Amino acid sequence: MEESDCKRFKSSSEFFPSESVEHDVSDLCGSVASFAVSDTSSSPSISETTHVNPADGSSGAATSIINVTSAFKHPSILRSLSDKLPHNYRRTHRRTGSSQSTSSLNWLSQVDESHELTESDVHPDKTLSAPNVLGLYLTGESPYSASSLNDTVDGNASHSPVDNEVTAGLQPTTPPPSQEHTNWLLRFFQSELFDASLALHYLYRSKSKDTGVQQYLGNRLFTLDPVDVEFYLPQLINLCIDTRDLSDYLLPYLKYRCEFSPDLALRSAWLTDAYTQDGWMRGRKIRKTPIAKFREAILAETYSCRPVRPLPALSALPTLKPLREPEPMATMTPPGSVKKTGHHRSRSDITGGSTTTSSAAPPAVAQHPVKSTIGDLASAKAFHSGCTCFESTVNVMHELKGEPVVCTCQAPRLAPEIEFVKALVKIGRNLTRSPKDGRTVRLAADLGVININLPARVWLPLYCDTPHHVVRIPPTAAAVLNSKDKAPYLIFVEVLLVEDLFCTPVNSKIQDNVMRHTKSEENIMDQSPCDEGISSSKSDEDGECWSQEDDEILNQFPVHDVNRLHNGETTSVWSQESMQSLESREITISAGDVVRRLNESLNANGTSFKPDHEDPSAAAMKEPWEMKQARIRRSSPYGHLPNWRLLAVIVKCGDDLRQEQLAHQMLQLLQKIWETEKLKLWLKPCNILVTGKDQGMIEPIINAVSLHQIKKQSQLPLLQYFIREYGGQTTEEFFKAQLNFVHSLAAYCLVSYLLQVKDRHNGNILLDSYGHLIHIDFGFILSQSPKSLGFENSQFKLTSDFVDVLGGVGSDMFEYYKLEMLKGLIAARKHCDKILSIFEVMQNADLPCFKNGGSNVVNGLKQRLHVYATEESLQQMVDTMVSSSIASITTKLYDDFQYYSNGIM
Amino acid sequence: MAQPNRAKKGSLREKVVHMYDALLDEDDLDRYPHFWDELFVLKPKPGYLASKLLTIDDARLVQKTVAVHRVAGQAVRRLDTQTNSELAVFNSLLTLFMLLEDLTRRKLGNNLEKFLFDSSNQEAFLKDLLESLRQILDHCSNSSVLRLTLRFLLLLVAAKERIEQNLFVSGMMDRSLFEAFMKVLADPPRRKIVGYEIVTLLGVLPHYPTLEPESNPYLQLSVMEPSIELMGIAGVMGESFQSSTREFFQQVLAVQKDNGWMTWITKTVTRTPRTTLNVHLQDAMLLSLCTGLKIGRNFVHAFTHAQSEILVAGPPPTPTVEALDNVSVTSEPAVVTPKEAAVEEPSNLFVEFLQYTSIVLQLRDEKSVEHARMSLLILGTITEDHYTTQFMHDFSINYRVQFYRAASRYHPCQILQSSKPEPLACAVLNLISEFITSHMMLNFPHDLYFRCLLVVYRLMDYQKRTRFRLPYQWRTLWSALLSLLKFLQANEGSLIDQIPNFFLFCTQVVNILNIFLIGGDAILSQVGSYDDLCYEIVRNSTIVNNAFTMGLRFSTVQSASIQASSKKFLTAMTNLRAVVAHFAPKVDAFSLEFGKTTLEREEILRVIQKHYDTLNLKLVDMNECFEKNANGRDKEFMSSFLVNVLKEIRTSCFSTSETFLFDPMDISKLSS
């Protein structure tokens, strides 16, 4: 549906000369202003045009343009029109699976038609599709299935290339002269080249000037690639906050998107929160602004419209009623859960006798407390929305029939998730208040409490691409990260992938299968010291559950077994020999051997890092992800489920992540640019979620440790570490790692240069297991350095350690590195508009990096992109930057400073 | 109404007092309209009723049985919260409490129930009573009613000396009080009020013998999941231990303050009586913990769940500035000075339990010895469990455990605390080393020693199997064991009669050292540790030699069992002797060569390091001596402990009735 429209939209503007895109901005704005004035009188005509049947309304080109402009001017009328549509209209619309807005569609079809009216006599079949679409919407029913709709769409799409050629030949490329100036902008907006980045740019530029353009662009967003627009969500939110007028035009789009994506709704709410919490809205009544109302509405769950579908089974409900009595057990265990046999015994089994009374109790009693437990961690149902739909008889029937299960109750959908994130942040806040060496324990304790409330219909917003439910957070796998006074922490979260966040039932709770294991047999023989009653019941279970082999149990806890070596040590000899009687044979061992083995095993600790009290995160990060995942999976009660996954997330509170998010956008953009330019430069943008001004979550970089940790643990220079990890300098492995290193180094050098990333000590630079260098912590970017020390004068950090890995100055690899940098810079320059637009829109926000004047910062960035320099001069510049960075005394100074002040090596 | 008897006291007597008199003295109460309704809304005077009841001796009570039955019946009828006001419920409950208290006080033996209710409608009476109590637990939101209900339940349970004779308890088995208890435990504000009582009940009730074991509802504890309820139980226990410990430590610190140089002199000169340290013993909590561990599969989880602020609404601990030290082996515990003690440490039930145990182990009175035995029994159960043992050895779970060190000849009483958080196994080993060194007395508590050694053995066994290298200062343990050996050897004459199997015990001591000698490569965490071990043995060569001769002496003795066990002991000693025989001459030669009579520690270590290769050690089977150690007397001990706990509960319930006051405040308001 949407696709077809876009295509048609594109096709209709295909014939515009591509040069027309290269407008001067100010020029365009002026033209739009005049254009907005030109047709104020045409507003009444819109109501007619909407009702015109395109099939017979084939009027001339002149009227069509009036139609376009009027539509352009007054989409609000169309919106009001769409409001008059039957109420279930939207729902039907949802059911078709399309994500197109009704109002925009209506309006778009208008625009399209008016354009195509001139072509309609040539290709009648194309215009015919429009009434089809409209008809579908207006009836409110769904006589057309989604597939039939697709058929028509496909039919159109297959025609369109031909159309273009034909129209290009038939149609004069210049519109009527009276409208010429106006149409350049319009055509540009309608052109295929127009994307979210440009929309943003023009939205920003038209700010407080041209309501017409703003309106148009606000509507145009509906037709752009949703993913693309989503990328600019912080910018959009910021525009809404910054310019009240714009929020009138942007919010409809956001509201519309929020209806379909609860995740986007949450992120919008959090972003709004983050950007309005600080003082730059001071003097304005924040509560009254539309964006604040928007946020309120999200939190009140106005937009998270439920997938209400007519239930065919509802009419059959009375007949199903009797079913309820015989199967209370079925309703108690949500479907989809895999019941573990034998060892696991849920409470429901035990209280089986009494369930009859509890299930017979009226549901009102059960529902009453549920409502109030959201957010109450001690209730074990803190993230439970109170929805009982999945346990209802109807849905059990659905499940059995293989039909989709639906939730029909009015339980809140976002509240549990909001509480979940709140709980995680609260843990972080508690951590900062506890003494440093007790933090790990405190973290484990608090996560234990959260665990009791899981599984629930909550997810990690960082990984919203893959819908999942959180089932468990293994408390012992979590680690508090190094930080001076904040306490960010890393958690590993066990999730189950689901088809749909809200339609898949939540897995039922499975307890940790850690059970009593009596190591020696004495107590089993002895029975229990308690009374007969206890011991006899216990012995029953002993037989089946408690007689597991040591090894089997040990497999669940392989933590300390990793270094187990089977090379004939004392213990292994010992255990073998203890089987036989020792009286018969005298086995002697040499004390010298014992000492030697002790020393060997202590020294040969291999590549794994020793657990360190001061830095518990080092060991947690060094363990390869696959191993960790396998280990946690083994010990997890949910590990046997096929859709089990492990995700990692860093929860930060007390740190402003908004700037990190900006840097993340920049990295993503650069990554995309270099990808399209077919460059090998490698970046690792780690996803960032802002949930408030000073809190949020970060996607950790897995399989990577910081240079500081490498140096501290291995006590080797970087090159030697590479050799130790990947083999000698001539090996294939080493070469691969070196190549990875070069690509990432060049990429991050460019990022450092462009963004002027400071605070580049070794704790902020990671090395992953493939040899990629990764920079993290973009807390000081764009004209801002820690405590305004101004140490780091060089453009980027290039230490002799790095150069050594490259093979020294002047080596082939080194030259290659410079070449890659040059290529990367040229590519970035080519797309400088996109890069600039991210920052430009944000420059009024109260971010630390814009403290010294937002426009200066953006201009500085523009300068660093050297838009007007020749490639030769660029090359020269890269050369000088590299050589000055190697020689830079300030880099060394800063490292020393960090070493002495914070102990970072 | 009864006529006011003004002449008697000359003061106005309250109406309720008259009613109490009438209650017991008059047969026909029907002539008073609404007598019962009035009685239970008037402000009760428990003191008067109690003294009134006291005036009635046992013989006269038999005559009054009907009156008592009548009161009890009326009171039970008014326990229903739905039809009666909270005040009426409270008053009737209090009346029942006082009646029962009085009956329990008397030595009525087994027919206590007979006095409270008519045996003909015993079923109905019990049913009504317990059902009402359950209703109160479930729905009542008044804290004073709730508290009184739980106290009353405790009194019911403790009414008889032996739980199996208690009719009330058998009644409790049928009702679903268990679920009600769990509900309360899951609810923090209510748990705060009556958590202790409920956990006590949960410790006692599973011991009631039922015809079919499965029908004991309290056995549901055994399959309890690690949930809010379990964490609630752990929280209650932890808090009780903590309060005892904290109270005790404060006393210790106060004593320490006194122990200045000058005060010490004045004290010794003037012979002022020593300040005695008192600890509030947590019998019931220990029993609950032990019961839970013995029957509960998941109960060990309670240990590992650290106290979370979210559940235990305590004040956030203040951050402390710690000097970073990079010692990889945990340092010797340092003495806590009064100043430091204020810092709130993160803790969990395990930590609290260990701290409490450290106190109990050091107290010498009879009751504390029982406690110590119970604590060690629990510790043994914990180390038996793989999950908790692993938890103890987790590098990421570090605590700073404080433990008490009794005053001795060398030092005043102290609170020791490790300088940085360390795995819990370190704390356990510290605790046991301290116990070993401090309990070598003529009245040798061999049973406790057995248990201690077993715990050490199990920890070693775990470390050996998983190749876990605990960063522990093993020397503490080694020297403790060697001095224990010395003590055993020196006092063999008296000990051999005291300890059932003297040589088996000696063998155990020696075998723990053997584990290090033979399997040290899998356990020790430091390069020099093995040298230290040898050094320690060589240093105590006389102990080793004497012990060996002692073994030799008994190997020729008449008794066959002693002969056999002493031979085993000699086998176990082989390695220690080999070490001594190997190094001692070398050290002597060294001192001769350099003409030194006393050698520095470093010099001896150097000699030891040089001469490892020619030393041969023998593999000894160690499992044997520990497996035989199974203790069949646990069961007896548990039941006697249970009787003691019931006695404690009973005495704690007595004369508390006057402390109950009705407070109309709702719990939800209390918490906010």
Side-chain angles (χ1 to χ4, degrees), chain B residues 248-249 251-253 255-256 259 274-277 335 355-365 368 402-416 430-431 433-441:
Chain B
F248 185 80
F249 280 177
Q251 293 172 26
V252 174
L253 290 177
V255 171
Q256 264 180 23
N259 271 358
R274 267 191 160 182
T275 41
T276 47
L277 300 167
V335 178
Q355 296 189 352
Y356 178 74
T357 309
S358 80
I359 297 171
V360 175
L361 282 182
Q362 298 298 334
L363 300 177
R364 307 293 163 90
D365 60 299
S368 302
Q402 298 186 332
F403 63 92
Y404 170 65
R405 190 188 216 180
S408 76
R409 214 174 299 169
Y410 313 104
H411 52 79
C413 57
Q414 287 167 337
I415 303 170
L416 296 182
N430 274 335
L431 190 74
S433 306
E434 182 62 33
F435 177 83
I436 291 175
T437 40
S438 62
H439 279 73
M440 289 182 256
M441 43 198 186

Side-chain angles (χ1 to χ4, degrees), chain A residues 311-332:
Chain A
L311 281 177
L314 264 178
S315 54
L317 196 61
T319 56
L320 290 173
K321 269 271 164 68
L323 267 176
R324 180 171 290 213
E325 292 316 310
E327 44 174 28
M329 292 309 285
T331 52
M332 282 193 63

Side-chain angles (χ1 to χ4, degrees), chain B residues 247-279:
Chain B
E247 197 184 302
F248 185 80
F249 280 177
Q250 266 161 11
Q251 293 172 26
V252 174
L253 290 177
V255 171
Q256 264 180 23
K257 251 186 201 163
D258 277 2
N259 271 358
W261 185 235
M262 280 308 288
T263 42
W264 181 75
I265 292 175
T266 40
K267 260 187 192 167
T268 33
V269 171
T270 56
R271 285 186 172 267
T272 42
R274 267 191 160 182
T275 41
T276 47
L277 300 167
N278 287 314
V279 65

Side-chain angles (χ1 to χ4, degrees), chain A residues 90-121:
Chain A
R90 276 159 193 256
R91 286 167 196 163
T92 348
H93 171 59
R94 269 190 64 100
R95 291 183 59 209
T96 60
S98 145
S99 62
Q100 192 56 270
S101 147
T102 55
S103 58
S104 76
L105 250 181
N106 250 341
W107 169 70
L108 248 185
S109 58
Q110 280 302 317
V111 177
D112 281 351
E113 282 152 23
S114 51
H115 257 281
E116 287 156 9
L117 283 179
T118 47
E119 308 157 20
S120 59
D121 36 7

Side-chain angles (χ1 to χ4, degrees), chain A residues 669-683 743 747 816 819-828 830-831:
Chain A
L669 203 58
L670 282 175
Q671 194 182 33
K672 219 189 287 169
I673 288 170
W674 288 332
E675 198 178 306
T676 47
E677 299 294 331
K678 308 242 178 330
L679 293 181
K680 284 180 175 167
L681 289 171
W682 188 93
L683 282 175
H743 289 141
Y816 176 63
L819 187 68
E820 284 292 305
M821 264 185 77
L822 179 64
K823 282 193 208 161
L825 190 57
I826 291 171
K830 193 170 160 190
H831 297 269

